[in-house]
Every structure is written in C-alpha cells, then in structure tokens.
Amino acid sequence: GCSWAGIGNAPTSPLRMVGGIDARAYAFYDNGSTLIRMDGAKVTVLSAPTTNILGLGVHPKDIHTLRIGGKTGQIWQNTTGGTGLWMKMGTPPGKSGSGYRVAFSPLNIDRVIYGGMTTGLALTTDGGKKWTPATFVGAITPQKLNGMNAVFSPVEEGTVWAMAIDLNESLQIPSKTNGKYLWRSTDGGASFSKVVAHLQANDVTLTNGVHLRPDATDAAVVRWAFGTCFSGYGTNLYRYDANAKK
C-alpha cells in the first residue's frame, strides 16, 4: 500500500470490490447499477440486471460465474464473466425497497444472507430457492431488527459476522446502545449471538451498516472502522477476536 498506480476510470465512486480468481476482480456501486470487471489492468464496464445492487459473489472455482443480489434479495447469475445474459435464481425473501445487504459466502455462493428492514437476516443455502429467518439470541424481539450488514468468513463457511439493530431496544433504552450490536454466527448464519455493543467498551462505535472485514486467515477475527472529519476527530480502527473476546 505504499505506492499505487491507476489502471482505469470507473463510471462512479465509491465502489465495493470483490476479489475473483487470479487477477480478476469485480466492483459495484452500493445500492446502484454500476458494475465493472477488472482483469489485471483492463477495466470492463458491465450491464447489471438491477438498479440496486446490494451484494456480489464470485464462484470460488469458476472465473466466469458470478451472482448479484438486489433490493428484495432477488439473486441473478451470470456465467460469462458479467457479459451477456443474467438469469434469475430462486425467489426474493424481501419486499420492494426493504433491503440493506445481500452477502454471499466466498466459499459457497449458494449460501447467501439477506438483510432486511425490520425483518433481521434471512439465510438461503440453495441459491435462493428457500429462505429461513435467522435467530438473534438475546434480542428483545428476535424478528424485529434492521439487518444492516453481514459478511461470511473466507476461512470457514460456518462463521458469519453481522451488524444489526434491535429495534425495540433502540426505543426502550436509546441512551445505552441504541440497539446496535455486532453479532456472530458459528452455524453458517442460522443463528447469531451478540459480541460487541455500541458505545459500551473501549470507545467502540458501530454505525448503521458499518463495513465489516473478516480476517483472511483467522475466522475468529473481524475488523471495522469509524471515522469522521468533524472537529478533527480522525479514524478509529477496531479489531475483535472471538477467541480473546475483545
């Protein structure tokens, strides 16, 4: 990261990037329609099947197969590197305009989590044919949460991290946590337990939909950041280790 070289221009920014195989990677504008493919220094602008991309997954063994998820959790698949036809897969778990995130497991893109407004998270293990609501252990009302974000560990399929807001807690005791928690699943996204609370220890801040980065080699570790230019605050970098519980 000490030196950088440009490889091309993107239609819009900022972009979320997803690694592929070898020198291939993809990027999309969150909740927009911009989708690009990068092959080394070559940048190709692609046509997306939705105007609200909320997530992208790349097949771990097939360089040409990728999937994207839209606002309702509808999944589309493309088998030609993002060019040509996109095919719908399964049925969407959400309603129009109700989604925050679609997260694909980098180890198995049939395993997907959809984060919804007031409905928490839903899990599919068969590419969208069947969706099951995730359980939130310790939530005041387990199925009344905003599922703001979720990421799968690239190390083991069973570990999933999520940022979700317990809506009833945010109303009853807003001065404590605002209902914001970092949650962890060890069963592939079927159930989640609280691991970090907003503003409760070591100045930890959780923003709505905070970007979560699971460690590339240790499934027990996840990282995120909080930053603002207000009053010259700067940026905090956080690291949580489930084994050390800190």
Side-chain angles (χ1 to χ4, degrees):
C2 295
S3 61
W4 294 81
I7 63 172
N9 295 320
T12 55
S13 64
L15 297 173
R16 284 180 178 251
M17 299 186 68
V18 180
I21 301 173
D22 298 324
R24 175 167 289 185
Y26 295 89
F28 65 96
Y29 186 82
D30 198 17
N31 204 18
S33 60
T34 298
L35 178 64
I36 64 175
R37 186 184 72 213
M38 292 156 284
D39 295 282
K42 182 181 179 182
V43 177
T44 304
V45 179
L46 306 171
S47 295
T50 176
T51 57
N52 301 102
I53 304 173
L54 295 186
L56 186 151
V58 183
H59 196 287
K61 296 182 180 180
D62 183 354
I63 192 172
H64 301 298
T65 298
L66 68 154
R67 295 176 184 173
I68 62 175
K71 198 75 171 177
T72 62
Q74 177 65 60
I75 298 171
W76 290 266
Q77 176 170 276
N78 183 286
T79 58
T80 55
T83 61
L85 296 177
W86 289 85
M87 302 296 293
K88 282 187 176 181
M89 299 186 64
T91 57
K95 299 179 181 179
S96 177
S98 63
Y100 292 112
R101 180 62 50 217
V102 178
F104 295 85
S105 168
L107 302 176
N108 176 7
I109 57 174
D110 278 339
R111 184 176 288 272
V112 188
I113 284 181
Y114 171 74
M117 183 186 301
T118 74
T119 57
L121 302 175
L123 170 69
T124 179
T125 59
D126 55 14
K129 295 178 182 178
K130 180 181 178 181
W131 294 87
T132 303
T135 300
F136 286 85
V137 180
I140 293 178
T141 307
Q143 296 305 324
K144 192 173 182 181
L145 296 93
N146 281 347
M148 304 298 297
N149 197 13
V151 290
F152 287 86
S153 167
V155 181
E156 60 180 33
E157 192 174 317
T159 298
V160 189
W161 303 94
M163 187 272 151
I165 302 174
D166 186 337
L167 295 175
N168 278 342
E169 182 173 325
S170 71
L171 294 174
Q172 292 182 18
I173 43 177
S175 63
K176 185 179 180 182
T177 67
N178 292 326
K180 298 179 182 179
Y181 289 93
L182 175 66
W183 306 74
R184 180 178 183 240
S185 172
T186 57
D187 57 11
S191 63
F192 289 83
S193 298
K194 299 174 181 177
V195 291
V196 177
H198 175 59
L199 295 179
Q200 294 305 296
N202 301 321
D203 193 33
V204 172
T205 301
L206 291 169
T207 57
N208 293 356
V210 62
H211 288 219
L212 301 171
R213 292 292 178 263
D215 193 88
T217 60
D218 189 344
V221 175
V222 67
R223 294 175 174 85
W224 70 97
F226 169 74
T228 176
C229 62
F230 183 74
S231 298
Y233 183 90
T235 302
N236 292 339
L237 302 178
Y238 301 103
R239 177 183 184 273
Y240 177 80
D241 186 336
N243 290 332
K245 294 183 179 180
K246 65 179 181 179

